[in-house]
Amino acid sequence: MYTGHCLCGDIRFEYDGRLGPVALCHCSQCRRAHGSAFSASAPVQKVRFRFVSGEDNITEFESRPGKFRGFCSRCGSQLYSRVDAIPGILRLRVGWLNEPLGKGPAHHVFVGSKSDWFEITDELPQFDKTERTNDPH
């Protein structure tokens, strides 16, 4: 079981499934949304995920047609993204998990648009686009 909450603590969740592979996304939208070189997220099954409190404080922004980014309307914490084309999966931002992940990132995605001020120095696989083949079962 994983639990987590946003920065202000208003939004809390539970997830009783397996986390998919953690992706480090370097696209310009993730950089802008997080104010950082990349975002870290893992796919989770929506049916195994539930909000314990504060769901009414979530605001979603449609960052491109059919893709929505959820965040806390009070503190601004980035919570997840979801795509209409894959309705059963949320991409959970792993920074708001309370428990240790027990694993590191699996790969970098959208490296063709990464910032010029951050250098990838690890040996993880790098992709120009996202990998959708490793969603949790």
Side-chain angles (χ1 to χ4, degrees):
M1 170 77 70
Y2 291 96
T3 62
H5 58 85
C6 64
L7 180 62
C8 69
D10 281 357
I11 301 171
R12 297 182 178 276
F13 80 91
E14 292 178 343
Y15 179 65
D16 69 350
R18 206 176 97 217
L19 291 177
V22 175
L24 305 179
C25 183
H26 296 266
C27 79
S28 61
Q29 287 187 351
C30 281
R31 289 196 328 267
R32 284 184 180 90
H34 295 271
S36 185
F38 53 85
S39 69
S41 66
V44 298
Q45 295 176 346
K46 197 171 181 180
V47 297
R48 302 180 76 87
F49 182 92
R50 78 177 189 91
F51 289 102
V52 176
S53 65
E55 188 171 4
D56 55 334
N57 289 338
I58 295 172
T59 298
E60 286 192 339
F61 170 71
E62 190 170 11
S63 58
R64 65 174 166 78
K67 181 175 182 175
F68 298 86
R69 295 167 179 271
F71 62 94
C72 175
S73 60
R74 182 169 178 228
C75 67
S77 292
Q78 300 293 314
L79 308 172
Y80 62 84
S81 64
R82 65 178 182 82
V83 179
D84 284 345
I86 311 170
I89 299 293
L90 294 175
R91 289 216 55 97
L92 189 66
R93 302 309 183 239
V94 296
W96 73 312
L97 292 170
N98 292 326
E99 293 74 24
L101 294 183
K103 62 182 176 180
H107 51 263
H108 297 269
V109 296
F110 291 101
V111 297
S113 61
K114 76 172 199 57
S115 66
D116 65 350
W117 51 267
F118 179 80
E119 181 181 351
I120 298 172
T121 59
D122 59 47
E123 299 297 323
L124 295 174
Q126 299 180 25
F127 301 99
D128 285 333
K129 295 184 178 181
T130 191
E131 290 288 294
R132 295 215 189 277
T133 57
N134 293 319
D135 289 338
H137 302 76

